[in-house]
Amino acid sequence: MDEKELLTLAARAVGLTNLKWIPVWNFMAERDDISFDLDTKWNPLESNEDAFTLAVTLRIDLEFGAQDVAALAWPEQGHIGTFLAHYNGDPLAATRRAITQAAAEIGKEMGE
């Protein structure tokens, strides 16, 4: 799954359907045909705040190991999956990625 799809599905999971992918900067924001609103910039792969909001809003459980982190997606309909990310020297980035992957899976389960 590429970043656009990952972020689009994660945004769907928390009801942020007004955000559009801005490919030049690799984030999502509100936009029209001419411009976008930087105040609405959203990318939980890069932002601790956005990732934390996803985790809390979607009740994503986190489990930390010595070399990796697991995010467990538990929406109302039950367990969807566990998403593992290795630290590779950056445990914050790994945690953001695992949370975003879990949120994207919840968004995928929600359908169109």
Side-chain angles (χ1 to χ4, degrees):
M1 184 178 309
D2 65 13
E3 280 194 19
K4 176 184 178 183
E5 184 178 11
L6 190 66
L7 293 177
T8 300
L9 290 171
R12 178 191 298 165
V14 289
L16 297 175
T17 56
N18 58 328
L19 299 180
K20 305 293 184 219
W21 177 248
I22 312 294
V24 176
W25 291 286
N26 291 332
F27 62 74
M28 297 187 74
E30 287 182 8
R31 79 172 194 194
D32 55 28
D33 293 336
I34 302 169
S35 64
F36 61 89
D37 181 358
L38 270 178
D39 290 335
T40 64
K41 179 181 172 186
W42 188 80
N43 185 344
L45 293 171
E46 300 291 330
S47 165
N48 290 337
E49 181 180 352
D50 292 341
F52 180 75
T53 300
L54 275 179
V56 171
T57 302
L58 298 173
R59 296 187 176 125
I60 294 171
D61 292 333
L62 298 172
E63 293 182 4
F64 297 93
Q67 299 298 318
D68 51 35
V69 59
L72 292 77
W74 289 93
E76 291 178 14
Q77 60 268 39
H79 184 257
I80 288 180
T82 301
F83 304 88
L84 190 68
H86 298 286
Y87 293 150
N88 294 327
D90 191 346
L92 289 174
T95 303
R96 291 190 303 266
R97 177 155 294 277
I99 290 168
T100 305
Q101 288 174 320
E105 197 61 33
I106 292 170
K108 187 188 297 185
E109 290 288 320
M110 293 171 70
E112 297 286 330

